[in-house]
Amino acid sequence: MASARPVVLSEDQWLPRQAAHVTRVRPFTEGFLARRSAGRKHPVEDFLFTYYSQKPGQLLRWHPGAGVVLTGPATVERTAWKFYRTLTETEREAAGIDAGTPAVTVDVAGFAAVRGDALGFTTMLLSRTAARRPVLGCFGMHEWAMAYKSEDNGIRHDYLQLRLGAQGTDELVERSKIRCTHFDAFRFYTPEAVPLNELTPTRENQRDLEQPGCLHANMDLYKWAYKLVPLLPSEVVMDAFELSWRIREMDMCASPYDLADWGYTPIAVETPAGRAQYAAAQRGFAEESQQLRARILSLLEPFGEQLCSQNQAAGLSVPVPRPTT
């Protein structure tokens, strides 16, 4: 497949985009960094920086995405960034860039050579997830299962109080249907809660269970996006980050913890009204996440084709999964 003509941006075009990205990110990172320095915690706003591996400084760094050429003196520092490269003379001439003008772009081939497995797995997982019907009505019981039998096990967030107390939490878990599909939620269940889940999610069956109604699967869109930086533009990563931020807030409002001191109103999933509120919010997040999932897959599709070509050239027979339409 012929390479698409790259988008060439001058400093006057790309430096404002970079500045806008930093302005967008800083309100999220500054609070976390201040709390970390002071030894304080926040049950909602710290999550994306403590559970996920991307650091605030990495999130602040702007990337235009693959297929974009940045020009001008300010690009020079990017030659030392991972998975960036300078243009060849042939590429420079084809793009109409003067010989003396610094120009860099994302090294797609270098990324595919090193991170090809991540690219293939992410494409496969998001494709399979997108193709499934969302399963709604879990009412956030995964968080409650993590606090089940807390008098014996303690609770994950030991600086928080249980809104219904230990006994009330246990009673709600025992009378609820729990059918969590997400391994990275299930793995934090207390030992007594594990057999109460109707499914047994594992890392191995993740590709078969992940579904677009799951709050944690939708929060993980942020993880899959930043793992594919710099192929994906930072605007997409931040869209996933902000979606994940809002889902985390809803997830914790529906959790067994009392967050009144942080200004959050609980979603009382022990009541019919609370469950209706939860289901409506979950449906909205599922729809929003499916749109973002499709957007990410559309951006990844040409790289999957390139990786297939590289595998064939290297004599590898395993194809890279492509988006499911």
Side-chain angles (χ1 to χ4, degrees):
M1 184 180 70
S3 298
R5 184 179 178 86
V7 175
V8 179
L9 300 179
S10 67
E11 285 188 343
D12 289 343
Q13 294 172 309
W14 70 264
L15 284 176
R17 285 181 59 183
Q18 177 175 268
H21 173 73
V22 172
T23 299
R24 183 181 181 184
V25 173
R26 272 189 176 152
F28 297 101
T29 60
E30 287 176 346
F32 168 72
L33 293 173
R35 284 189 299 274
R36 187 175 67 179
S37 296
R40 294 184 286 109
K41 297 179 181 180
H42 194 292
V44 175
E45 297 181 3
D46 291 352
F47 179 76
L48 299 189
F49 300 110
T50 56
Y51 179 75
Y52 294 113
S53 63
Q54 178 158 246
K55 298 177 174 60
Q58 294 171 311
L59 184 62
L60 281 162
R61 181 174 282 190
W62 177 76
H63 301 277
V68 178
V69 174
L70 304 180
T71 63
T75 65
V76 173
E77 69 169 331
R78 289 179 184 252
T79 60
W81 292 13
K82 194 171 186 179
F83 301 125
Y84 276 83
R85 64 174 178 83
T86 58
L87 266 65
T88 66
E89 288 303 317
T90 300
E91 291 171 328
R92 186 185 295 274
E93 291 175 8
I97 301 171
D98 294 339
T101 302
V104 301
T105 192
V106 173
D107 184 3
V108 175
F111 185 97
V114 176
R115 302 292 309 282
D117 288 346
L119 177 59
F121 178 81
T122 300
T123 303
M124 175 275 297
L125 183 64
L126 297 189
S127 295
R128 291 192 177 190
T129 303
R132 295 191 179 97
R133 179 176 297 178
V135 179
L136 306 174
C138 67
F139 306 117
M141 285 297 108
H142 56 277
E143 292 288 344
W144 295 75
M146 296 177 200
Y148 185 57
K149 299 295 183 184
S150 61
E151 291 184 340
D152 297 323
N153 300 293
I155 54 177
R156 288 190 65 211
H157 305 288
D158 56 6
Y159 62 102
L160 300 177
Q161 298 296 316
L162 295 174
R163 186 168 57 81
L164 301 183
Q167 182 177 346
T169 299
D170 292 350
E171 290 174 354
L172 180 59
V173 170
E174 288 164 0
R175 69 173 185 265
S176 297
K177 177 179 179 179
I178 307 178
R179 199 172 190 272
C180 181
T181 57
H182 193 68
F183 171 69
D184 284 315
F186 180 71
R187 68 190 176 99
F188 291 110
Y189 278 26
T190 63
E192 295 88 344
V194 168
L196 301 180
N197 203 66
E198 294 185 0
L199 300 170
T200 306
T202 65
R203 188 66 70 203
E204 290 69 29
N205 66 20
Q206 181 179 16
R207 66 193 64 194
D208 300 315
L209 292 181
E210 206 95 313
Q211 49 85 19
C214 173
L215 294 187
H216 279 263
N218 294 333
M219 278 193 285
D220 278 353
L221 284 172
Y222 168 58
K223 175 177 68 174
W224 303 124
Y226 75 69
K227 283 182 177 292
L228 296 181
V229 165
L231 289 188
L232 296 181
S234 290
E235 289 81 0
V236 171
V237 176
M238 272 308 293
D239 286 348
F241 177 94
E242 291 180 353
L243 172 63
S244 185
W245 182 283
R246 290 185 284 114
I247 294 175
R248 172 62 177 180
E249 181 176 348
M250 182 259 201
D251 194 37
M252 288 301 287
C253 285
S255 77
Y257 302 107
D258 184 351
L259 302 184
D261 289 345
W262 281 267
Y264 294 100
T265 301
I267 299 175
V269 292
E270 70 276 13
T271 69
R275 293 194 168 209
Q277 180 184 356
Y278 184 96
Q282 185 181 26
R283 184 176 298 107
F285 281 131
E287 294 171 358
E288 188 175 352
S289 299
Q290 282 287 64
Q291 293 174 5
L292 181 57
R293 195 173 277 111
R295 184 177 164 201
I296 292 172
L297 284 168
S298 69
L299 291 170
L300 295 182
E301 186 169 8
F303 309 131
E305 293 177 359
Q306 176 170 339
L307 190 53
C308 280
S309 298
Q310 286 184 244
N311 285 347
Q312 291 171 359
L316 302 176
S317 60
V318 180
V320 175
R322 301 183 184 181
T324 300
T325 57

Coordinates of all heavy atoms in Angstrom, one line a residue, residues 209-275:
L209 N -13.9 -11.9 26.9 CA -14.9 -11.4 27.9 C -15.1 -9.8 27.8 O -16.1 -9.3 28.2 CB -14.5 -11.8 29.3 CG -14.6 -13.2 29.7 CD1 -14.2 -13.4 31.2 CD2 -16.0 -13.8 29.5
E210 N -14.1 -9.1 27.4 CA -14.1 -7.7 27.4 C -15.3 -7.2 26.6 O -15.5 -7.6 25.5 CB -12.8 -7.1 26.9 CG -12.5 -5.7 27.4 CD -11.6 -5.7 28.6 OE1 -11.8 -6.5 29.5 OE2 -10.6 -5.0 28.6
Q211 N -16.1 -6.3 27.2 CA -17.3 -5.8 26.5 C -17.5 -4.3 26.8 O -17.1 -3.8 27.9 CB -18.5 -6.6 26.9 CG -18.7 -6.9 28.4 CD -19.5 -5.7 29.1 OE1 -20.2 -4.9 28.4 NE2 -19.4 -5.6 30.4
P212 N -18.2 -3.6 25.9 CA -18.2 -2.1 26.0 C -19.1 -1.5 27.0 O -19.2 -0.3 27.1 CB -18.6 -1.7 24.6 CG -19.4 -2.9 24.1 CD -18.8 -4.1 24.7
G213 N -19.8 -2.3 27.8 CA -20.6 -1.8 28.9 C -19.8 -1.6 30.2 O -20.2 -1.0 31.1
C214 N -18.6 -2.3 30.2 CA -17.8 -2.3 31.4 C -17.1 -1.0 31.7 O -16.4 -0.5 30.8 CB -16.8 -3.5 31.3 SG -15.6 -3.5 32.6
L215 N -17.3 -0.4 32.8 CA -16.6 0.8 33.2 C -15.1 0.7 33.1 O -14.4 1.6 32.6 CB -17.1 1.3 34.5 CG -18.5 1.7 34.8 CD1 -18.7 2.3 36.1 CD2 -19.0 2.7 33.7
H216 N -14.6 -0.4 33.6 CA -13.1 -0.5 33.6 C -12.6 -0.7 32.2 O -11.5 -0.2 31.9 CB -12.7 -1.6 34.6 CG -12.7 -1.2 36.0 ND1 -11.5 -0.8 36.7 CD2 -13.7 -1.0 36.9 CE1 -11.8 -0.5 37.9 NE2 -13.1 -0.6 38.1
A217 N -13.2 -1.5 31.4 CA -12.8 -1.6 30.0 C -12.8 -0.3 29.3 O -11.9 0.0 28.5 CB -13.7 -2.6 29.3
N218 N -13.7 0.6 29.6 CA -13.8 1.9 29.0 C -12.8 2.8 29.6 O -12.2 3.7 28.9 CB -15.2 2.4 29.1 CG -16.2 1.6 28.3 OD1 -15.8 1.0 27.3 ND2 -17.4 1.6 28.7
M219 N -12.5 2.7 30.9 CA -11.4 3.5 31.4 C -10.1 3.1 30.8 O -9.2 3.9 30.6 CB -11.3 3.3 33.0 CG -12.3 4.2 33.7 SD -11.9 4.2 35.5 CE -12.5 2.6 36.0
D220 N -9.9 1.8 30.5 CA -8.7 1.3 29.9 C -8.4 1.8 28.5 O -7.3 1.7 28.0 CB -8.7 -0.2 29.9 CG -8.3 -0.8 31.3 OD1 -7.9 0.0 32.2 OD2 -8.4 -2.0 31.4
L221 N -9.4 2.5 27.9 CA -9.1 3.1 26.6 C -7.9 4.1 26.7 O -7.1 4.2 25.8 CB -10.3 3.8 26.0 CG -11.4 2.9 25.4 CD1 -12.6 3.7 25.1 CD2 -10.9 2.2 24.2
Y222 N -7.8 4.7 27.9 CA -6.7 5.6 28.1 C -5.4 4.8 28.1 O -4.4 5.2 27.5 CB -6.9 6.3 29.5 CG -5.6 7.0 29.9 CD1 -5.0 8.0 29.2 CD2 -5.1 6.7 31.2 CE1 -3.9 8.7 29.6 CE2 -3.9 7.4 31.6 CZ -3.4 8.4 30.9 OH -2.2 9.0 31.3
K223 N -5.4 3.7 28.8 CA -4.1 2.9 28.8 C -3.7 2.4 27.4 O -2.6 2.6 27.0 CB -4.4 1.6 29.7 CG -3.2 0.7 29.7 CD -3.4 -0.5 30.6 CE -4.5 -1.4 30.2 NZ -4.6 -2.6 31.0
W224 N -4.7 1.9 26.6 CA -4.3 1.4 25.3 C -3.9 2.6 24.4 O -3.0 2.4 23.6 CB -5.5 0.7 24.7 CG -6.0 -0.4 25.5 CD1 -7.3 -0.6 26.0 CD2 -5.2 -1.6 26.0 NE1 -7.3 -1.8 26.7 CE2 -6.1 -2.4 26.8 CE3 -3.9 -1.9 25.9 CZ2 -5.7 -3.5 27.4 CZ3 -3.5 -3.1 26.5 CH2 -4.3 -3.9 27.2
A225 N -4.4 3.8 24.6 CA -4.0 4.9 23.8 C -2.6 5.4 24.1 O -1.8 5.5 23.2 CB -5.0 6.1 24.0
Y226 N -2.3 5.5 25.4 CA -0.9 6.0 25.7 C 0.1 5.0 25.4 O 1.3 5.3 25.2 CB -0.8 6.6 27.1 CG -0.8 5.6 28.3 CD1 0.3 4.8 28.5 CD2 -1.8 5.6 29.2 CE1 0.4 3.9 29.6 CE2 -1.7 4.7 30.3 CZ -0.6 3.9 30.5 OH -0.6 3.0 31.6
K227 N -0.2 3.7 25.4 CA 0.8 2.7 25.1 C 1.2 2.7 23.6 O 2.2 2.2 23.2 CB 0.2 1.3 25.5 CG 0.3 1.0 27.0 CD -0.2 -0.4 27.2 CE -0.1 -0.8 28.7 NZ 1.4 -0.8 29.2
L228 N 0.3 3.4 22.8 CA 0.6 3.5 21.4 C 1.1 4.9 21.0 O 1.1 5.2 19.8 CB -0.6 3.1 20.6 CG -1.0 1.6 20.8 CD1 -2.2 1.3 19.9 CD2 0.2 0.6 20.5
V229 N 1.5 5.7 22.0 CA 2.1 6.9 21.7 C 3.6 6.6 21.2 O 4.2 5.7 21.8 CB 2.2 7.8 23.0 CG1 3.1 9.0 22.9 CG2 0.8 8.3 23.3
P230 N 4.1 7.3 20.2 CA 3.5 8.5 19.5 C 2.8 8.2 18.2 O 2.5 9.1 17.5 CB 4.8 9.3 19.2 CG 5.8 8.2 18.9 CD 5.5 7.1 19.8
L231 N 2.4 6.9 18.0 CA 1.6 6.7 16.8 C 0.3 7.5 16.8 O -0.2 8.1 15.9 CB 1.2 5.2 16.6 CG 2.3 4.2 16.3 CD1 1.7 2.9 16.0 CD2 3.1 4.7 15.0
L232 N -0.4 7.5 18.0 CA -1.6 8.2 18.2 C -1.3 9.7 18.6 O -0.4 9.9 19.4 CB -2.5 7.5 19.3 CG -3.0 6.1 18.9 CD1 -3.8 5.6 20.1 CD2 -3.7 6.1 17.6
P233 N -2.1 10.6 18.1 CA -1.9 12.0 18.5 C -2.4 12.2 20.0 O -3.3 11.5 20.5 CB -2.8 12.8 17.6 CG -3.9 11.8 17.1 CD -3.2 10.5 17.1
S234 N -1.7 13.2 20.6 CA -2.0 13.5 22.0 C -3.5 13.9 22.3 O -4.0 13.7 23.4 CB -1.1 14.5 22.6 OG 0.2 14.0 22.7
E235 N -4.1 14.5 21.3 CA -5.5 14.9 21.4 C -6.4 13.7 21.7 O -7.3 13.7 22.5 CB -6.0 15.6 20.2 CG -5.4 17.0 20.0 CD -4.0 17.1 19.4 OE1 -3.4 16.0 19.1 OE2 -3.4 18.2 19.2
V236 N -6.1 12.6 21.0 CA -6.9 11.3 21.2 C -6.6 10.8 22.6 O -7.5 10.3 23.3 CB -6.5 10.3 20.1 CG1 -7.2 9.0 20.5 CG2 -7.1 10.8 18.8
V237 N -5.3 10.8 23.0 CA -4.9 10.3 24.3 C -5.6 11.1 25.4 O -6.1 10.5 26.4 CB -3.4 10.4 24.5 CG1 -3.0 10.0 26.0 CG2 -2.7 9.5 23.5
M238 N -5.7 12.4 25.3 CA -6.4 13.2 26.3 C -7.9 13.1 26.3 O -8.5 13.1 27.3 CB -6.0 14.7 26.1 CG -4.8 15.1 26.8 SD -4.8 14.7 28.6 CE -6.1 15.8 29.2
D239 N -8.5 12.8 25.1 CA -9.9 12.5 25.1 C -10.1 11.2 25.9 O -11.1 11.1 26.6 CB -10.4 12.3 23.6 CG -10.5 13.6 22.9 OD1 -10.4 14.7 23.5 OD2 -10.6 13.5 21.6
A240 N -9.3 10.2 25.7 CA -9.4 9.0 26.5 C -9.1 9.2 28.0 O -9.8 8.7 28.9 CB -8.4 7.9 26.0
F241 N -8.2 10.1 28.3 CA -7.9 10.4 29.7 C -9.1 11.1 30.4 O -9.5 10.7 31.5 CB -6.7 11.4 29.7 CG -6.3 11.8 31.1 CD1 -5.3 11.2 31.9 CD2 -6.9 12.9 31.7 CE1 -5.0 11.6 33.2 CE2 -6.6 13.4 33.0 CZ -5.6 12.7 33.7
E242 N -9.7 12.1 29.7 CA -10.8 12.8 30.3 C -12.0 11.9 30.5 O -12.8 12.0 31.4 CB -11.1 14.0 29.5 CG -10.0 15.1 29.6 CD -10.3 16.3 28.8 OE1 -11.3 16.4 28.1 OE2 -9.5 17.3 29.0
L243 N -12.2 11.0 29.5 CA -13.3 10.0 29.6 C -13.1 9.1 30.8 O -14.0 8.9 31.6 CB -13.4 9.2 28.3 CG -14.4 8.0 28.4 CD1 -15.8 8.5 28.6 CD2 -14.3 7.2 27.1
S244 N -11.9 8.6 30.9 CA -11.5 7.8 32.1 C -11.7 8.5 33.4 O -12.1 7.9 34.4 CB -10.1 7.3 31.9 OG -9.7 6.3 32.9
W245 N -11.3 9.8 33.4 CA -11.4 10.6 34.6 C -12.9 10.6 35.1 O -13.2 10.5 36.3 CB -10.9 12.0 34.3 CG -10.9 13.0 35.5 CD1 -12.0 13.7 35.9 CD2 -9.8 13.4 36.3 NE1 -11.6 14.5 37.0 CE2 -10.3 14.3 37.2 CE3 -8.4 13.1 36.3 CZ2 -9.4 15.0 38.1 CZ3 -7.6 13.7 37.2 CH2 -8.1 14.6 38.1
R246 N -13.8 10.9 34.1 CA -15.2 11.0 34.4 C -15.8 9.6 34.9 O -16.7 9.6 35.7 CB -16.0 11.6 33.3 CG -15.7 13.1 33.0 CD -16.5 13.7 31.9 NE -16.1 13.3 30.6 CZ -16.8 12.5 29.8 NH1 -18.0 12.1 30.1 NH2 -16.3 12.2 28.6
I247 N -15.4 8.6 34.2 CA -15.8 7.2 34.6 C -15.4 6.9 36.0 O -16.1 6.3 36.8 CB -15.4 6.2 33.6 CG1 -16.0 6.4 32.2 CG2 -15.7 4.8 34.1 CD1 -15.5 5.5 31.1
R248 N -14.1 7.2 36.3 CA -13.6 7.0 37.7 C -14.5 7.7 38.7 O -14.8 7.1 39.8 CB -12.2 7.4 37.8 CG -11.6 7.3 39.2 CD -11.5 5.9 39.7 NE -10.9 5.9 41.0 CZ -10.7 4.8 41.8 NH1 -11.2 3.6 41.3 NH2 -10.1 4.9 42.9
E249 N -14.8 8.9 38.4 CA -15.7 9.6 39.4 C -17.0 8.9 39.6 O -17.4 8.7 40.8 CB -15.9 11.0 38.9 CG -16.8 11.9 39.8 CD -16.9 13.3 39.3 OE1 -16.2 13.7 38.4 OE2 -17.8 14.0 39.9
M250 N -17.6 8.5 38.5 CA -18.9 7.8 38.7 C -18.7 6.4 39.4 O -19.5 6.0 40.2 CB -19.5 7.6 37.3 CG -20.9 6.9 37.3 SD -20.7 5.1 36.8 CE -22.3 4.7 36.3
D251 N -17.6 5.7 39.0 CA -17.3 4.4 39.6 C -17.2 4.5 41.1 O -17.7 3.7 41.9 CB -16.1 3.9 39.0 CG -15.8 2.4 39.3 OD1 -16.8 1.6 39.3 OD2 -14.7 2.0 39.5
M252 N -16.5 5.6 41.6 CA -16.3 5.7 43.0 C -17.5 6.3 43.7 O -17.8 6.0 44.9 CB -15.1 6.6 43.3 CG -13.8 6.0 43.0 SD -13.5 4.5 43.9 CE -13.1 5.2 45.5
C253 N -18.4 7.1 43.0 CA -19.6 7.5 43.6 C -20.5 6.3 43.9 O -21.3 6.4 44.8 CB -20.3 8.5 42.7 SG -19.5 10.2 42.8
A254 N -20.4 5.3 43.1 CA -21.3 4.1 43.2 C -20.6 3.0 44.1 O -21.2 2.0 44.3 CB -21.6 3.5 41.9
S255 N -19.4 3.3 44.6 CA -18.7 2.4 45.4 C -19.2 2.3 46.8 O -20.0 3.1 47.2 CB -17.2 2.7 45.4 OG -16.9 3.8 46.2
P256 N -18.6 1.4 47.6 CA -19.1 1.3 49.0 C -18.5 2.4 49.9 O -18.8 2.5 51.1 CB -18.6 -0.1 49.5 CG -17.4 -0.4 48.6 CD -17.7 0.3 47.3
Y257 N -17.6 3.3 49.4 CA -16.9 4.2 50.2 C -17.7 5.5 50.4 O -18.4 6.0 49.5 CB -15.5 4.5 49.6 CG -14.7 3.3 49.4 CD1 -14.5 2.7 48.1 CD2 -14.1 2.6 50.5 CE1 -13.7 1.6 47.9 CE2 -13.4 1.5 50.3 CZ -13.2 1.0 49.0 OH -12.5 -0.2 48.9
D258 N -17.5 6.1 51.5 CA -18.1 7.4 51.8 C -17.1 8.5 51.4 O -16.1 8.7 52.0 CB -18.3 7.5 53.3 CG -19.0 8.8 53.7 OD1 -19.2 9.7 52.9 OD2 -19.4 8.9 54.9
L259 N -17.5 9.2 50.3 CA -16.7 10.3 49.8 C -17.2 11.7 50.0 O -16.9 12.6 49.3 CB -16.5 10.1 48.2 CG -16.0 8.7 47.8 CD1 -15.8 8.7 46.3 CD2 -14.6 8.4 48.5
A260 N -18.0 11.8 51.1 CA -18.6 13.1 51.4 C -17.6 14.2 51.7 O -17.7 15.3 51.3 CB -19.6 13.0 52.6
D261 N -16.5 13.8 52.3 CA -15.4 14.7 52.7 C -14.7 15.3 51.4 O -14.1 16.3 51.5 CB -14.4 14.1 53.6 CG -14.9 13.8 55.0 OD1 -15.9 14.4 55.3 OD2 -14.2 13.1 55.7
W262 N -14.9 14.6 50.3 CA -14.3 15.1 49.0 C -15.3 15.8 48.1 O -15.0 16.1 47.0 CB -13.7 13.9 48.3 CG -12.3 13.5 48.8 CD1 -11.1 14.0 48.4 CD2 -12.0 12.6 49.9 NE1 -10.1 13.4 49.1 CE2 -10.6 12.6 50.0 CE3 -12.8 11.8 50.7 CZ2 -10.0 11.8 51.0 CZ3 -12.2 11.1 51.7 CH2 -10.8 11.0 51.8
G263 N -16.6 15.9 48.7 CA -17.6 16.6 47.9 C -18.4 15.8 46.9 O -19.0 16.4 46.1
Y264 N -18.4 14.5 47.0 CA -19.1 13.6 46.1 C -20.4 13.1 46.7 O -20.4 12.7 47.8 CB -18.2 12.4 45.7 CG -17.0 12.8 44.9 CD1 -15.7 12.9 45.5 CD2 -17.1 13.2 43.5 CE1 -14.6 13.3 44.8 CE2 -15.9 13.5 42.8 CZ -14.7 13.6 43.5 OH -13.6 14.0 42.8
T265 N -21.4 13.2 45.9 CA -22.7 12.6 46.3 C -22.8 11.2 45.9 O -22.5 10.8 44.7 CB -23.9 13.4 45.6 OG1 -23.8 14.8 46.0 CG2 -25.2 12.8 46.0
P266 N -23.1 10.3 46.8 CA -23.1 8.8 46.4 C -24.2 8.5 45.4 O -25.3 9.1 45.4 CB -23.4 8.2 47.8 CG -24.1 9.2 48.6 CD -23.5 10.5 48.2
I267 N -23.9 7.5 44.6 CA -25.0 6.8 43.8 C -25.4 5.6 44.6 O -24.6 4.6 44.7 CB -24.4 6.4 42.4 CG1 -24.0 7.7 41.6 CG2 -25.5 5.6 41.6 CD1 -23.4 7.4 40.3
A268 N -26.5 5.6 45.3 CA -26.9 4.6 46.2 C -27.4 3.4 45.5 O -28.6 3.2 45.3 CB -27.9 5.2 47.2
V269 N -26.5 2.5 45.1 CA -26.9 1.3 44.3 C -27.6 0.3 45.1 O -28.1 -0.7 44.5 CB -25.6 0.7 43.6 CG1 -25.1 1.6 42.5 CG2 -24.6 0.4 44.6
E270 N -27.7 0.5 46.4 CA -28.5 -0.4 47.2 C -30.0 -0.1 47.1 O -30.9 -0.8 47.6 CB -28.1 -0.3 48.7 CG -28.4 1.0 49.4 CD -27.4 2.1 49.2 OE1 -26.5 1.9 48.3 OE2 -27.4 3.1 50.0
T271 N -30.4 1.0 46.4 CA -31.8 1.4 46.2 C -32.1 1.3 44.7 O -31.3 1.5 43.8 CB -32.0 2.9 46.7 OG1 -31.3 3.8 45.8 CG2 -31.4 3.0 48.1
P272 N -33.4 1.2 44.4 CA -33.9 1.2 43.0 C -33.5 2.5 42.3 O -33.1 2.4 41.1 CB -35.4 1.0 43.1 CG -35.6 0.3 44.4 CD -34.6 0.8 45.3
A273 N -33.7 3.6 42.9 CA -33.4 4.9 42.3 C -31.9 5.0 42.0 O -31.5 5.5 40.9 CB -33.8 6.0 43.2
G274 N -31.0 4.5 42.9 CA -29.6 4.6 42.6 C -29.2 3.6 41.5 O -28.3 4.0 40.7
R275 N -29.8 2.5 41.4 CA -29.5 1.5 40.3 C -29.9 2.1 39.0 O -29.2 1.9 38.0 CB -30.1 0.2 40.6 CG -29.5 -0.5 41.8 CD -29.9 -2.0 41.9 NE -29.0 -2.6 42.9 CZ -28.7 -3.9 42.9 NH1 -29.1 -4.7 41.9 NH2 -27.9 -4.4 43.8

